[in-house]
Amino acid sequence: MSTQADKLSLLQQLKAKKNAVILAHYYTMPEVQAAADFVGDSLALAQAAAQTDADIILFAGVHFMAETAKILNPTKKVLLPEFSAGCSLADSCPADKLAAFMQQHPDHLLLSYINCSAAVKAMSYCIVTSGNALRVVDSMPKDAKIIFAPDRWLGSFINRELDRHMILWDGACHVHDQLTADDVLRMKKRYPNALVLAHPECRPEVQQNVDFVGSTAAMLKYVKNSDHKEFVVLTEEGILYEMRKQNPDKILHALSEPEPQHIGCVDCLECKYMKMNNLDNMIQVLTDETPELLLDAETIEKARIPIERMLTFK
Ligand code: 13P
Ligand code: SF4
């Protein structure tokens, strides 16, 4: 049986032989992040996918992320270690239902969070991530009529922060949506000296009770730049791997303590889809170069425009 070190070494060999690049999200397991050439949040991963000159992109993330990489690199081979790694948020917004909703608001522009299907992206004016949503919306005229899909909580965060009145699609992420104000208050009581951070995919009752609301990358930056020593981090717990690497001297708490040692902990803030990526299926898919993520040319052409519009925002 090969060890983790053997598997990491095999992946490096395959990568070099095939001119492949491995991109991984912060929510994947530590060994997956360790195998990656680039680890980032959704925005940084989209930027990395736009810039790569590799022939193969192995995307250790979820389906919509691999689709975004394919849309930006139609001639490259994009591989996803586990094809059923979906996203409850993307699934909460079927393109046909959104199209019917748009017809009720024909004078509105569609702004879509990157956590959506390629078909939804193809209908959108501009894509945003949690890392740039405030900048993108702030650049639009105050009286612009906007429908924001699919995350109602990120949408309501933007509306509150920028005093906007975007119409919100009623979608949510099953990981972040399970957090309540009671969870925040319990963690504050348990760790009275800690600052509490949360992702904007969390409910307003959570956002309003924490010290900082920000995307994955924004939370990493906040902790790194803060003089404070102790934090409670309310988002998918995979982020703690990178956060601890960057801040060995700081005390970082997750909602579930002790933290999960296994995949699929029901009480933990874990994205079961992100946790479907592992070294074995990464080796498998890179060896076989199949199944490949494919999209039709029309969807690619239409979805590319709003993604590229987003990438012009620094
Ligand atoms: P970010 O990577 O933009 O923080 O989004 C979090 C997320 O849920 C990714 O699926
Ligand atoms: Fe989707 Fe939520 Fe998982 Fe992110 S954490 S991939 S939004 S289900």
Side-chain angles (χ1 to χ4, degrees), residues 63 78-86 291-294:
H63 198 269
V78 176
L79 303 170
L80 183 65
E82 171 53 60
F83 247 58
S84 62
E292 186 186 346
L293 192 135
L294 295 169

Side-chain angles (χ1 to χ4, degrees), residues 127-193:
I127 303 301
V128 302
T129 73
S130 56
N132 64 15
L134 290 175
R135 283 200 299 285
V136 173
V137 176
D138 207 24
S139 76
M140 297 174 76
K142 266 272 179 204
D143 57 356
K145 291 182 173 174
I146 301 171
I147 289 178
F148 186 84
D151 192 276
R152 60 177 179 257
W153 302 140
L154 175 61
S156 69
F157 171 73
I158 301 167
N159 276 345
R160 277 195 305 281
E161 290 293 306
L162 299 178
D163 190 23
R164 296 278 177 148
H165 300 91
M166 300 185 302
I167 298 176
L168 310 178
W169 181 261
D170 194 20
C173 153
H174 75 288
V175 180
H176 294 92
D177 192 40
Q178 66 183 278
L179 274 165
T180 63
D182 281 351
D183 292 320
V184 179
L185 300 177
R186 182 165 46 86
M187 294 305 272
K188 280 189 165 174
K189 205 164 158 195
R190 196 185 296 171
Y191 304 111
N193 297 323

Side-chain angles (χ1 to χ4, degrees), residues 27 62 64 86-89 115 173-176 201 271 273-274:
Y27 294 169
V62 293
F64 78 80
C87 166
S88 55
L89 178 53
N115 300 39
C173 153
H174 75 288
V175 180
H176 294 92
E201 286 175 24
C271 175
Y273 305 112
M274 289 282 187

Side-chain angles (χ1 to χ4, degrees), residues 27 57 65 146 157 167 200-201 253 262 275 279-280 301 304 311:
Y27 294 169
I57 301 172
M65 295 180 173
I146 301 171
F157 171 73
I167 298 176
E201 286 175 24
H253 305 287
H262 60 282
K275 284 356 186 210
L279 296 182
D280 292 319
E301 204 182 312
R304 195 181 169 101
L311 292 173

